[in-house]
Amino acid sequence: TTLSRSALPEPAPLALLPVVLRWRWYLLGLLGNPDADLGRGEPRGLENVLDQSFLVINKDCVLSFLSQCREVIQNSKEVLSLLQEKNPTFKPVLAIIQAGDDNLMQEINQNLAEEAGLNITHICLPPDSSEAEIIDEILKINEDTRVHGLALQISENSFSNKVLNALKPEKDVDGVTDINLGRLVRGDAHECYVSPVARAVIELLEKSGVNLDGKKMLVIGAHGSLEAALQCLFQRRGSMTMSSQWKTPQLQSKLHEADIVVLGSPKPEEIPLSWIQPGTTVLNCSHDFLSGKLGCGSLGVHFNGLIAEDDVSLLAAALRIQNMVSSGRRWLREQQHTRWRLHCLKLQPLSPVPSDLEISRAQTPKAVEVLAKEIGLLADEIEIYGKSKAKVRLSLLERLKDQADGKYVLVAGITPTPLGEGKSTVTVGLVQALTAHLNINSFACLRQPSQGPTFGVKGGAAGGGYAQVIPMEEFNLHLTGDIHAITAANNLLAAAIDTRILHENTQTDKKLGINKTDPNALTEEEIGKFARLNIDPSTITWQRVLDTNDRFLRKITIGQAPTEKGYSRQAQFDIAVASEIMAVLALTDSLVDMKERLGRMVVASDKNGQPVTAEDLGVTGALTVLMKDAIKPNLMQTLEGTPVFVHAGPFANIAHGNSSVLADKIALKLVGEEGFVVTEAGFGADIGMEKFFNIKCRASGLVPNAVVLVATVRALKMHGGGPGVSLLLPSSKHTFLKISLSLKTSLNEYRCKTTNVFITRTDTRAEIDLVCELAKRAGAFDAVPCYHWSIGGKGSVELARAVRDAANKGSRFRFLYDVQLPIVEKIRTIAQAVYGARDIELSPEAQSKIDRYTQQGFGNLPICMAKTHLSLSHQPDKKGVPRDFILPISDVRASIGAGFIYPLVGTMSTMPGLPTRPCFYDIDLDTETEQVKGLF
């Protein structure tokens, strides 16, 4: 009898058809050749075989087997459908590395995968591929985040321990790695993948009604993972297990004892079937399943039914699909919020507190790849720079797009002293407290420091004391080169502007090169329109930049060499972090968006008053190439081993003063719904925090859950009428004169939820208590003294708890102004509502530019005020809360690519100068140890 298609259960999986047809061919072969050699060393006709009960084939047996396979596939399909209800785009991918050609097994795998709803990809290697070549392919698949499972179909000789253990255990859906086998042996089957072949053997026996308890099971010719898995599964079911190789002298006696025989490799011809006792169950699950070979002439008999190699192989293929679905489920679970298993670094604070550099150097940071793994980054999502820095690829956002964001916390400050008031230090101390001491996922997002202040007066920006980012030398010097990339891109665009003007002034239209189908058909006017930008040099707003404080570059003359043919003009340098490209980097949300923003940057107007952009100059692509790595946030760590993103570095007084939108968005995904991302706004609340709300939040669509306002007794004394602050002078003991008003002004700007009083060594308890009382009276949710500078995260645990409570209270966030208001009205709103000015005064140049930008269609952009950070007014020496002043607007620029209008207040300069005694006097290098000295 042969099986017909109509005999299959409906609907039957298409993947099963090849095997059913193989049985048909097998039966036809026996019927057509009654004397076929069945491996007993003598010819036997089919009738004789049936009489001896060596082979009983019937339709019910095959249909039961097909039903069993279909049940596995259907179950896998249902589980996957449930997973896809919450993750509609999720579809697991199985990769099969195949050395050699076996189209039948490839077809079966493909059909089973399609039936269950999986994707499958075959990597086909030549049959004679070396071990190294196979391992190379395995390692590639290991790091491919699109692949959730990996199986091998290679020759038996290629299954070395080195090859098998090259597989990532979490992708090893055939259960062949030592880690998966070890978990199985320990009884942790729910945490590992069990060999589909071994499972198929057990399930076929149990479905056939074979009671395994007390049975003697013999495995012949199996090696390694298959042998171990079979023995473990049989023992769990009460069987006594034996193993043997084909050439073992005691094989015949073992076969006589065995109730169940499992063949792990093809039977040699010299071993007769007569050694097997009648009534013994024999299964063939040779390694040919893994190699992809389904030899129809292989032995496969059940003395009371049928369990053949094809049965085991096909059911194993179905169970592999089931393992794949389990792999996908685990992968999805890992993408969801989990509390990090972070190995935090221990601190041993000293008193008195050593220098920042000494503290940083005394702590050994974790390898950055270890940190990345701890916080859920995949190996192919980071690009490592040295031992302690890595860039994070933006592909992470796509992988975690369905992940809920964590809580978003801003750290801002009151109007500072020239030395800064510790916002970066508070940011670092807060995340150290949250993660290292309260076991809450948290991320700090900081700006990259400019080398201007690092070698100027303020020093570095890595935090300080026992709350800083390490290694602090690498943080403060170069990092991964992002600012240098911005400098290169900015100056390339500046060169393109002046070069274009030079060539248009010195060449005819025909020499400029017109790539048209028929240039001779163009009129002179058309040629001019096509070839010329006609830039008006007096309208150029794009300046060259340098990441050094250099007052002598504030006004320069360019083009004085004879080769420039008399074309010269007055220009200037800005500091690199004031470049619009830095603002673009900080506000972009993707590579595509960054390219569009770079192309939109307006650099001048033409002689007809129309804007000229980087795209008009043909430089957009080149700028994007220079910035392609800078767009990726930089991963570092705090002194206590908690994660930090360092990305973008615009000043708050001459730019918008916040770290990147991308760093914040990636961090919010990584911390998970219960975690916290703490980001910092530069300088005082009047500029850094205002721009965070009205520029950064508009661009990102993110809304903060809480704000921490940093106040120091030192700054409050200065603004209360005390003397100025200097590194060379001790903190003043001057009485508090306007402290209440100063603190209340900062709090009232946006109703900050938490006030942090950053404690220094000279502050008294009475002073601290007074500031906390005033803060609460002014409307703060809480006011908390902090000691992270002297003892690390432990000193900010109270702050961390207060922030957690405040963030859970809900947010009533709103923008200060409507962007549709006229430019002048938006400037006036900021001046009056935030700075306390009576009104604004526009210079003729500022008014002219506002009119031009409005006419060009840029009037609906937010405002980025360039103003001193040392006072609420435009005059740095006006301390406290000045009132009834007129805010002068000397100039207005347009950062169209970044997306804001850029008024300059008073005499604000975009290129800082060096002080009388710059920091660089103290900075040196030990040429023997190559260690940096003098940074702070």
Side-chain angles (χ1 to χ4, degrees):
T1 305
T2 62
L3 293 176
S4 65
R5 179 67 180 89
S6 62
L8 295 174
E10 296 293 345
L14 294 178
L16 306 186
L17 291 180
V19 172
V20 174
L21 293 175
R22 291 182 66 87
W23 285 116
R24 180 176 180 177
W25 298 332
Y26 186 54
L27 292 173
L28 288 174
L30 288 177
L31 291 171
N33 181 11
D35 293 325
D37 182 2
L38 294 183
R40 294 189 59 187
E42 55 183 325
R44 285 185 178 270
L46 179 60
E47 295 81 0
N48 194 22
V49 172
L50 293 175
D51 289 342
Q52 294 291 326
S53 298
F54 282 122
L55 184 63
V56 178
I57 300 177
N58 58 65
K59 182 179 71 174
D60 291 339
C61 178
V62 176
L63 293 182
S64 174
F65 154 68
L66 291 175
S67 177
Q68 189 174 353
C69 290
R70 177 163 183 78
E71 183 181 338
V72 172
I73 294 299
Q74 185 61 30
N75 175 265
S76 300
K77 187 175 183 178
E78 290 172 359
V79 172
L80 183 57
S81 296
L82 290 174
L83 295 175
Q84 290 171 333
E85 286 181 5
K86 293 185 178 180
N87 308 275
T89 60
F90 175 65
K91 198 170 186 180
V93 176
L94 169 64
I96 297 179
I97 296 177
Q98 181 175 329
D101 299 321
D102 189 316
N103 294 331
L104 178 60
M105 196 64 204
Q106 187 169 328
E107 181 185 356
I108 290 172
N109 286 322
Q110 188 70 48
N111 289 339
L112 285 172
E114 290 177 3
E115 183 80 14
L118 279 67
N119 283 336
I120 191 166
T121 179
H122 278 86
I123 297 94
C124 295
L125 302 177
D128 57 351
S129 296
S130 67
E131 181 183 78
E133 290 169 331
I134 295 171
I135 290 175
D136 184 55
E137 291 298 328
I138 291 172
L139 296 179
K140 290 177 185 176
I141 298 298
N142 281 349
E143 303 307 322
D144 191 338
T145 56
R146 299 166 298 177
V147 175
H148 306 90
L150 174 56
L152 302 177
Q153 286 181 190
I154 57 180
S155 67
E156 186 174 355
N157 293 334
S158 299
F159 278 96
S160 65
N161 283 334
K162 192 173 181 181
V163 167
L164 295 179
N165 287 301
L167 276 75
K168 268 190 174 178
E170 55 267 35
K171 293 189 178 184
D172 170 29
V173 291
D174 280 339
V176 297
T177 59
D178 288 349
I179 290 178
N180 278 318
L181 283 170
R183 289 171 179 165
L184 175 63
V185 171
R186 289 198 312 267
D188 299 329
H190 62 285
E191 294 183 3
C192 68
Y193 297 110
V194 180
S195 163
V197 180
R199 283 182 59 201
V201 168
I202 296 294
E203 292 196 16
L204 284 169
L205 286 169
E206 291 180 337
K207 289 285 185 180
S208 301
V210 178
N211 182 9
L212 300 180
D213 188 24
K215 293 290 193 299
K216 292 183 179 179
M217 189 277 293
L218 174 63
V219 181
I220 309 176
H223 300 274
S225 59
L226 178 59
E227 180 183 13
L230 283 167
Q231 289 193 353
C232 185
L233 293 180
F234 271 99
Q235 288 171 6
R236 294 273 162 78
R237 285 158 177 80
S239 299
M240 294 178 286
T241 61
M242 302 178 288
S243 64
S244 177
Q245 297 305 315
W246 287 111
K247 295 185 179 180
T248 301
Q250 298 83 15
L251 177 59
Q252 185 174 2
S253 63
K254 288 185 177 183
L255 283 168
H256 276 271
E257 293 180 44
D259 301 308
I260 301 169
V261 176
V262 180
L263 309 184
S265 58
K267 181 187 75 65
E269 292 185 2
E270 62 269 20
I271 305 296
L273 282 176
S274 58
W275 287 9
I276 302 174
Q277 295 297 302
T280 302
T281 303
V282 182
L283 299 98
N284 187 354
C285 60
S286 72
H287 236 65
D288 289 346
F289 167 72
L290 292 177
S291 65
K293 299 175 182 177
L294 291 175
C296 60
S298 300
L299 172 67
V301 296
H302 182 305
F303 282 29
N304 301 303
L306 169 65
I307 301 179
E309 178 196 1
D310 284 2
D311 299 36
V312 175
S313 298
L314 186 56
L315 182 55
L319 291 170
R320 176 195 274 165
I321 296 297
Q322 194 176 71
N323 280 354
M324 265 300 303
V325 174
S326 297
S327 173
R329 180 168 50 196
R330 290 180 187 178
W331 185 85
L332 282 175
R333 190 164 56 239
E334 288 171 1
Q335 308 316 302
Q336 298 170 356
H337 164 67
T338 54
R339 186 158 289 175
W340 297 335
R341 295 179 179 177
L342 203 68
H343 168 64
C344 294
L345 305 178
K346 298 298 181 183
L347 288 181
Q348 295 180 328
L350 301 177
S351 182
V353 177
S355 73
D356 292 351
L357 190 56
E358 289 174 310
I359 293 171
S360 171
R361 201 162 281 161
Q363 186 71 290
T364 302
K366 292 181 285 190
V368 71
E369 58 265 38
V370 172
L371 175 64
K373 187 173 182 180
E374 288 177 338
I375 62 175
L377 288 165
L378 305 179
D380 68 342
E381 290 173 341
I382 61 170
E383 298 170 1
I384 296 174
Y385 284 64
K387 296 179 180 179
S388 53
K389 306 185 296 292
K391 281 196 165 291
V392 176
R393 293 177 179 166
L394 307 189
S395 58
L396 172 70
L397 284 172
E398 176 63 23
R399 177 171 69 86
L400 298 182
K401 63 183 178 182
D402 297 322
Q403 170 90 298
D405 287 347
K407 298 291 193 299
Y408 195 32
V409 177
L410 172 69
V411 174
I414 65 170
T415 308
T417 69
L419 303 180
E421 300 317 300
K423 294 184 304 299
S424 300
T425 308
V426 168
T427 301
V428 174
L430 176 54
V431 295
Q432 287 181 174
L434 284 165
T435 301
H437 298 272
L438 297 182
N439 197 26
I440 298 171
N441 293 359
S442 72
F443 232 112
C445 291
L446 299 176
R447 291 170 296 160
Q448 178 183 353
S450 163
Q451 288 180 178
T454 300
F455 291 95
V457 64
K458 185 172 176 287
Y466 287 100
Q468 57 175 302
V469 181
I470 57 171
M472 68 94 75
E473 313 100 290
E474 296 182 27
F475 179 95
N476 286 311
L477 300 173
H478 307 297
L479 197 61
T480 56
D482 293 350
I483 292 180
H484 300 315
I486 289 166
T487 302
N490 185 100
N491 294 342
L492 175 63
L493 179 52
I497 297 167
D498 290 308
T499 299
R500 185 60 176 256
I501 294 173
L502 172 68
H503 290 313
E504 287 190 13
N505 286 343
T506 58
Q507 297 181 11
T508 66
D509 291 335
K510 292 179 182 178
K511 287 184 179 180
L512 291 175
I514 300 172
N515 188 20
K516 287 287 187 178
T517 304
D518 186 10
N520 295 324
L522 297 174
T523 66
E524 291 297 320
E525 183 180 357
E526 288 170 334
I527 292 173
K529 287 181 178 179
F530 178 72
R532 291 184 177 275
L533 293 178
N534 285 323
I535 297 171
D536 180 353
S538 67
T539 67
I540 295 173
T541 56
W542 195 263
Q543 311 297 344
R544 288 164 172 82
V545 298
L546 187 70
D547 195 33
T548 302
N549 289 2
D550 191 345
R551 65 179 65 247
F552 291 96
L553 294 177
R554 289 172 177 170
K555 183 167 286 188
I556 60 172
T557 302
I558 62 171
Q560 297 191 61
T563 51
E564 275 51 75
K565 303 178 182 180
Y567 169 66
S568 64
R569 66 178 181 90
Q570 277 199 346
Q572 70 182 61
F573 271 78
D574 293 339
I575 194 160
V577 292
S579 169
E580 183 177 354
I581 296 178
M582 173 63 86
V584 166
L585 176 68
L587 292 170
T588 190
D589 62 8
S590 69
L591 192 58
V592 171
D593 178 64
M594 183 178 74
K595 185 175 182 179
E596 292 173 353
R597 286 174 178 268
L598 292 172
R600 289 200 304 266
M601 294 187 303
V602 173
V603 300
S605 296
D606 65 18
K607 292 175 181 177
N608 295 320
Q610 296 305 305
V612 177
T613 66
E615 181 66 23
D616 295 330
L617 287 159
V619 74
T620 305
L623 299 181
T624 308
V625 168
L626 287 171
M627 294 294 295
K628 71 179 180 65
D629 293 319
I631 194 174
K632 304 165 190 171
N634 303 293
L635 176 65
M636 295 187 74
Q637 62 193 280
T638 68
L639 276 167
E640 297 191 55
T642 67
V644 179
F645 273 142
V646 185
H647 199 218
F651 285 171
N653 55 351
I654 56 178
H656 77 283
N658 285 269
S659 62
S660 77
V661 166
L662 277 170
D664 290 357
K665 286 190 170 183
I666 292 174
L668 285 165
K669 294 297 183 186
L670 286 170
V671 298
E673 191 170 5
E674 302 301 319
F676 285 79
V677 170
V678 183
T679 191
E680 172 213 6
F683 289 127
D686 57 324
I687 47 180
M689 186 169 77
E690 184 272 313
K691 293 170 185 176
F692 173 86
F693 291 141
N694 293 302
I695 296 176
K696 186 175 181 179
C697 289
R698 285 186 204 270
S700 68
L702 299 173
V703 174
N705 298 96
V707 174
V708 176
L709 185 71
V710 180
T712 63
V713 173
R714 177 179 68 182
L716 287 169
K717 284 180 178 179
M718 186 186 76
H719 287 289
V725 173
S726 166
L727 280 175
L728 304 177
L729 298 176
S731 178
S732 168
K733 291 294 183 183
H734 195 280
T735 56
F736 289 94
L737 295 176
K738 302 176 189 174
I739 288 181
S740 178
L741 188 58
S742 299
L743 192 57
K744 187 173 182 179
T745 299
S746 294
L747 283 164
N748 283 345
E749 282 175 16
Y750 286 98
R751 306 300 299 174
C752 299
K753 285 190 173 183
T754 305
T755 298
N756 155 241
V757 185
F758 181 25
I759 307 304
T760 62
R761 284 172 291 187
T762 58
D763 299 335
T764 68
R765 170 52 62 181
E767 291 171 338
I768 296 166
D769 292 344
L770 175 59
V771 174
C772 290
E773 179 188 344
L774 292 172
K776 291 177 181 178
R777 196 184 303 166
F781 175 84
D782 202 351
V784 184
C786 290
Y787 305 90
H788 45 260
W789 181 81
S790 57
I791 60 174
K794 183 180 178 181
S796 282
V797 170
E798 187 180 350
L799 172 64
R801 292 193 175 108
V803 167
R804 181 180 59 188
D805 294 343
N808 289 324
K809 290 292 184 181
S811 175
R812 293 177 295 173
F813 177 80
R814 66 182 186 275
F815 294 119
L816 179 65
Y817 53 81
D818 185 342
V819 290
Q820 300 303 323
L821 288 172
I823 293 174
V824 172
E825 289 306 311
K826 287 181 284 193
I827 296 173
R828 181 175 285 114
T829 298
I830 296 172
Q832 293 176 338
V834 179
Y835 307 154
R838 177 160 53 89
D839 204 350
I840 62 172
E841 181 179 75
L842 300 173
S843 71
E845 183 178 3
Q847 183 65 65
S848 173
K849 288 187 176 179
I850 288 174
D851 294 341
R852 183 195 309 160
Y853 297 145
T854 302
Q855 181 269 328
Q856 291 174 343
F858 304 138
N860 61 347
L861 295 175
I863 303 299
C864 181
M865 303 287 278
K867 183 188 79 71
T868 179
H869 60 289
L870 297 175
S871 171
L872 289 172
S873 74
H874 58 287
Q875 296 174 292
D877 58 340
K878 295 290 185 182
K879 304 302 181 185
V881 186
R883 295 292 190 192
D884 202 36
F885 61 92
I886 302 297
L887 190 75
I889 308 299
S890 58
D891 194 6
V892 177
R893 300 178 187 175
S895 295
I896 306 305
F900 52 71
I901 299 296
Y902 178 10
L904 276 72
V905 177
T907 58
M908 189 67 205
S909 173
T910 51
M911 170 55 85
L914 290 170
T916 304
R917 193 184 189 286
C919 297
F920 64 67
Y921 282 116
D922 302 313
I923 296 172
D924 199 357
L925 183 73
D926 187 319
T927 54
E928 291 186 6
T929 64
E930 298 186 12
Q931 289 190 335
V932 176
K933 299 186 293 185
L935 273 180
F936 71 95

